[in-house]
CSV table of all heavy atoms in Angstrom, one decimal:
chain,number,residue,atom,x,y,z
A,814,TYR,N,144.1,71.6,114.4
A,814,TYR,CA,144.2,70.2,114.8
A,814,TYR,C,145.5,69.9,115.6
A,814,TYR,O,145.5,69.0,116.4
A,814,TYR,CB,144.1,69.4,113.6
A,814,TYR,CG,142.8,69.5,112.8
A,814,TYR,CD1,142.8,70.1,111.5
A,814,TYR,CD2,141.6,69.2,113.4
A,814,TYR,CE1,141.6,70.3,110.9
A,814,TYR,CE2,140.4,69.4,112.7
A,814,TYR,CZ,140.4,69.9,111.5
A,814,TYR,OH,139.2,70.1,110.8
A,815,GLU,N,146.6,70.6,115.2
A,815,GLU,CA,147.8,70.4,115.9
A,815,GLU,C,147.7,70.7,117.4
A,815,GLU,O,148.1,70.0,118.3
A,815,GLU,CB,149.0,71.2,115.3
A,815,GLU,CG,149.3,70.7,113.9
A,815,GLU,CD,150.5,71.4,113.3
A,815,GLU,OE1,151.5,71.6,114.1
A,815,GLU,OE2,150.6,71.6,112.1
A,816,GLU,N,147.1,71.9,117.7
A,816,GLU,CA,146.9,72.3,119.1
A,816,GLU,C,145.9,71.4,119.8
A,816,GLU,O,146.1,71.1,121.0
A,816,GLU,CB,146.3,73.7,119.1
A,816,GLU,CG,147.3,74.8,118.7
A,816,GLU,CD,147.4,75.0,117.2
A,816,GLU,OE1,146.8,74.2,116.5
A,816,GLU,OE2,148.0,76.0,116.8
A,817,ALA,N,144.9,70.9,119.0
A,817,ALA,CA,143.9,69.9,119.6
A,817,ALA,C,144.6,68.6,120.0
A,817,ALA,O,144.4,68.1,121.1
A,817,ALA,CB,142.8,69.7,118.6
A,818,VAL,N,145.5,68.1,119.1
A,818,VAL,CA,146.3,66.9,119.4
A,818,VAL,C,147.2,67.1,120.6
A,818,VAL,O,147.3,66.3,121.5
A,818,VAL,CB,147.0,66.4,118.2
A,818,VAL,CG1,147.9,65.2,118.5
A,818,VAL,CG2,146.0,66.0,117.1
A,819,ASP,N,147.9,68.2,120.6
A,819,ASP,CA,148.9,68.5,121.7
A,819,ASP,C,148.2,68.5,123.0
A,819,ASP,O,148.7,67.9,124.0
A,819,ASP,CB,149.6,69.8,121.4
A,819,ASP,CG,150.5,69.8,120.2
A,819,ASP,OD1,150.9,68.6,119.8
A,819,ASP,OD2,150.8,70.8,119.7
A,820,LEU,N,147.0,69.2,123.1
A,820,LEU,CA,146.3,69.3,124.3
A,820,LEU,C,145.6,67.9,124.7
A,820,LEU,O,145.5,67.5,125.8
A,820,LEU,CB,145.2,70.4,124.2
A,820,LEU,CG,144.4,70.7,125.5
A,820,LEU,CD1,145.4,71.1,126.7
A,820,LEU,CD2,143.4,71.8,125.3
A,822,LEU,N,146.8,65.0,124.0
A,822,LEU,CA,147.8,64.1,124.5
A,822,LEU,C,148.0,64.2,126.0
A,822,LEU,O,148.4,63.3,126.7
A,822,LEU,CB,149.1,64.2,123.8
A,822,LEU,CG,149.1,63.8,122.3
A,822,LEU,CD1,150.4,64.1,121.6
A,822,LEU,CD2,148.8,62.3,122.2
A,826,VAL,N,145.1,59.6,125.1
A,826,VAL,CA,145.7,59.3,123.8
A,826,VAL,C,144.6,59.0,122.8
A,826,VAL,O,144.6,59.4,121.6
A,826,VAL,CB,146.7,58.1,123.9
A,826,VAL,CG1,147.1,57.7,122.5
A,826,VAL,CG2,147.8,58.5,124.8
A,829,ALA,N,143.3,62.1,121.4
A,829,ALA,CA,144.3,62.6,120.4
A,829,ALA,C,144.1,61.9,119.0
A,829,ALA,O,144.2,62.5,118.0
A,829,ALA,CB,145.7,62.5,120.9
A,833,ALA,N,143.3,63.4,115.4
A,833,ALA,CA,144.2,63.2,114.2
A,833,ALA,C,143.5,62.7,113.0
A,833,ALA,O,144.0,62.9,111.9
A,833,ALA,CB,145.3,62.2,114.6
A,842,LEU,N,149.0,66.4,106.7
A,842,LEU,CA,148.7,66.9,108.1
A,842,LEU,C,148.3,65.7,109.0
A,842,LEU,O,148.7,65.6,110.2
A,842,LEU,CB,147.6,67.9,108.1
A,842,LEU,CG,147.2,68.5,109.5
A,842,LEU,CD1,148.4,69.1,110.2
A,842,LEU,CD2,146.0,69.5,109.3
A,843,ARG,N,147.5,64.8,108.5
A,843,ARG,CA,147.2,63.6,109.3
A,843,ARG,C,148.4,62.9,109.7
A,843,ARG,O,148.5,62.4,110.8
A,843,ARG,CB,146.2,62.8,108.5
A,843,ARG,CG,144.8,63.3,108.4
A,843,ARG,CD,144.0,62.5,107.5
A,843,ARG,NE,143.9,61.1,107.9
A,843,ARG,CZ,143.6,60.1,107.1
A,843,ARG,NH1,143.3,60.3,105.8
A,843,ARG,NH2,143.6,58.8,107.5
A,844,LYS,N,149.3,62.7,108.7
A,844,LYS,CA,150.5,61.9,109.0
A,844,LYS,C,151.3,62.6,110.1
A,844,LYS,O,151.9,62.0,111.0
A,844,LYS,CB,151.3,61.8,107.7
A,844,LYS,CG,152.6,60.9,107.9
A,844,LYS,CD,153.3,60.8,106.5
A,844,LYS,CE,154.6,59.9,106.7
A,844,LYS,NZ,155.3,59.7,105.4
A,845,LYS,N,151.4,63.9,110.0
A,845,LYS,CA,152.1,64.7,111.0
A,845,LYS,C,151.5,64.6,112.4
A,845,LYS,O,152.2,64.4,113.4
A,845,LYS,CB,152.1,66.2,110.5
A,845,LYS,CG,152.9,67.1,111.5
A,845,LYS,CD,152.9,68.5,110.9
A,845,LYS,CE,153.7,69.4,111.9
A,845,LYS,NZ,153.7,70.8,111.4
A,846,LEU,N,150.2,64.6,112.4
A,846,LEU,CA,149.5,64.4,113.7
A,846,LEU,C,149.7,63.0,114.3
A,846,LEU,O,149.9,62.9,115.5
A,846,LEU,CB,148.0,64.7,113.5
A,846,LEU,CG,147.6,66.1,113.1
A,846,LEU,CD1,146.1,66.2,112.9
A,846,LEU,CD2,148.1,67.1,114.1
A,847,TRP,N,149.7,62.0,113.4
A,847,TRP,CA,149.9,60.7,114.0
A,847,TRP,C,151.4,60.5,114.4
A,847,TRP,O,151.7,59.8,115.4
A,847,TRP,CB,149.6,59.6,112.9
A,847,TRP,CG,148.1,59.3,112.8
A,847,TRP,CD1,147.2,59.8,111.9
A,847,TRP,CD2,147.4,58.5,113.7
A,847,TRP,NE1,146.0,59.3,112.2
A,847,TRP,CE2,146.1,58.5,113.3
A,847,TRP,CE3,147.8,57.7,114.8
A,847,TRP,CZ2,145.1,57.7,113.9
A,847,TRP,CZ3,146.8,57.0,115.5
A,847,TRP,CH2,145.5,57.0,115.1
A,848,LEU,N,152.3,61.2,113.7
A,848,LEU,CA,153.7,61.1,114.2
A,848,LEU,C,153.8,61.8,115.6
A,848,LEU,O,154.6,61.3,116.4
A,848,LEU,CB,154.6,61.9,113.2
A,848,LEU,CG,154.8,61.1,111.9
A,848,LEU,CD1,155.6,62.0,110.9
A,848,LEU,CD2,155.6,59.8,112.1
A,849,LYS,N,153.0,62.9,115.8
A,849,LYS,CA,153.0,63.4,117.2
A,849,LYS,C,152.6,62.4,118.2
A,849,LYS,O,153.1,62.3,119.3
A,849,LYS,CB,152.1,64.7,117.2
A,849,LYS,CG,152.7,65.9,116.6
A,849,LYS,CD,151.7,67.1,116.7
A,849,LYS,CE,152.3,68.4,116.1
A,849,LYS,NZ,153.3,68.9,117.0
A,850,ILE,N,151.5,61.7,117.8
A,850,ILE,CA,151.0,60.7,118.8
A,850,ILE,C,152.0,59.6,119.0
A,850,ILE,O,152.2,59.2,120.1
A,850,ILE,CB,149.6,60.2,118.2
A,850,ILE,CG1,148.6,61.3,118.2
A,850,ILE,CG2,149.1,59.0,119.1
A,850,ILE,CD1,147.3,60.9,117.5
A,851,ALA,N,152.6,59.1,117.9
A,851,ALA,CA,153.6,58.1,118.0
A,851,ALA,C,154.8,58.5,118.9
A,851,ALA,O,155.3,57.8,119.7
A,851,ALA,CB,154.0,57.6,116.6
A,852,ARG,N,155.3,59.7,118.6
A,852,ARG,CA,156.4,60.2,119.4
A,852,ARG,C,156.1,60.3,120.9
A,852,ARG,O,156.9,59.9,121.7
A,852,ARG,CB,156.8,61.6,118.9
A,852,ARG,CG,158.0,62.2,119.7
A,852,ARG,CD,158.3,63.6,119.2
A,852,ARG,NE,158.8,63.5,117.8
A,852,ARG,CZ,159.1,64.6,117.1
A,852,ARG,NH1,158.9,65.8,117.5
A,852,ARG,NH2,159.6,64.4,115.8
A,853,HIS,N,154.8,60.8,121.1
A,853,HIS,CA,154.4,60.9,122.5
A,853,HIS,C,154.3,59.5,123.2
A,853,HIS,O,154.8,59.3,124.3
A,853,HIS,CB,153.0,61.5,122.6
A,853,HIS,CG,152.4,61.6,124.0
A,853,HIS,ND1,152.8,62.5,125.0
A,853,HIS,CD2,151.5,60.7,124.6
A,853,HIS,CE1,152.1,62.2,126.1
A,853,HIS,NE2,151.3,61.2,125.9
A,854,VAL,N,153.8,58.5,122.4
A,854,VAL,CA,153.7,57.2,123.0
A,854,VAL,C,155.1,56.6,123.2
A,854,VAL,O,155.3,55.9,124.3
A,854,VAL,CB,152.8,56.3,122.1
A,854,VAL,CG1,152.9,54.8,122.5
A,854,VAL,CG2,151.4,56.8,122.0
A,855,VAL,N,156.0,56.8,122.3
A,855,VAL,CA,157.3,56.2,122.4
A,855,VAL,C,158.2,56.9,123.4
A,855,VAL,O,158.8,56.3,124.3
A,855,VAL,CB,158.0,56.1,121.0
A,855,VAL,CG1,159.4,55.7,121.2
A,855,VAL,CG2,157.2,55.2,120.1
A,856,GLN,N,158.2,58.2,123.3
A,856,GLN,CA,159.1,58.9,124.2
A,856,GLN,C,158.6,59.2,125.6
A,856,GLN,O,159.3,59.2,126.6
A,856,GLN,CB,159.5,60.3,123.5
A,856,GLN,CG,160.3,60.1,122.2
A,856,GLN,CD,160.6,61.4,121.5
A,856,GLN,OE1,160.2,62.4,122.0
A,856,GLN,NE2,161.4,61.3,120.5
A,857,GLU,N,157.3,59.5,125.7
A,857,GLU,CA,156.7,59.8,127.0
A,857,GLU,C,156.3,58.6,127.7
A,857,GLU,O,156.5,58.5,128.9
A,857,GLU,CB,155.5,60.8,126.8
A,857,GLU,CG,155.9,62.1,126.1
A,857,GLU,CD,156.8,63.0,127.0
A,857,GLU,OE1,156.8,62.8,128.2
A,857,GLU,OE2,157.6,63.8,126.4
A,867,CYS,N,149.5,52.2,117.1
A,867,CYS,CA,149.4,53.5,116.4
A,867,CYS,C,149.7,53.3,114.9
A,867,CYS,O,149.1,53.8,114.0
A,867,CYS,CB,150.2,54.6,117.0
A,867,CYS,SG,149.6,55.1,118.6
A,874,LEU,N,151.3,55.9,108.2
A,874,LEU,CA,152.6,55.7,108.9
A,874,LEU,C,153.3,54.4,108.4
A,874,LEU,O,152.6,53.3,108.3
A,874,LEU,CB,152.4,55.7,110.4
A,874,LEU,CG,152.0,57.0,111.0
A,874,LEU,CD1,151.9,56.9,112.5
A,874,LEU,CD2,153.0,58.1,110.7
A,878,ASP,N,159.0,55.5,109.5
A,878,ASP,CA,158.7,56.8,110.0
A,878,ASP,C,158.8,56.9,111.5
A,878,ASP,O,159.1,57.9,112.1
A,878,ASP,CB,157.2,57.2,109.7
A,878,ASP,CG,157.0,57.3,108.2
A,878,ASP,OD1,158.0,57.8,107.5
A,878,ASP,OD2,155.9,57.0,107.7
A,879,VAL,N,158.6,55.7,112.2
A,879,VAL,CA,158.6,55.8,113.7
A,879,VAL,C,159.9,55.2,114.2
A,879,VAL,O,160.1,55.4,115.5
A,879,VAL,CB,157.4,55.0,114.2
A,879,VAL,CG1,156.1,55.6,113.8
A,879,VAL,CG2,157.5,53.5,113.8
A,882,PHE,N,162.2,57.3,116.5
A,882,PHE,CA,161.7,57.7,117.8
A,882,PHE,C,162.2,56.8,118.9
A,882,PHE,O,162.1,57.1,120.1
A,882,PHE,CB,160.2,57.9,117.8
A,882,PHE,CG,159.7,58.8,116.8
A,882,PHE,CD1,158.4,58.6,116.2
A,882,PHE,CD2,160.4,60.0,116.5
A,882,PHE,CE1,158.0,59.5,115.3
A,882,PHE,CE2,159.9,60.9,115.6
A,882,PHE,CZ,158.7,60.6,115.0
Side-chain angles (χ1 to χ4, degrees):
Y814 301 114
E815 293 188 34
E816 290 81 354
V818 170
D819 292 340
L820 185 59
L822 290 174
V826 174
L842 179 59
R843 285 174 57 200
K844 184 176 180 180
K845 183 178 180 181
L846 297 177
W847 278 103
L848 287 174
K849 283 180 176 287
I850 297 172
R852 176 181 295 175
H853 174 80
V854 170
V855 172
Q856 295 180 353
E857 300 295 333
C867 290
L874 291 182
D878 296 326
V879 300
F882 302 146

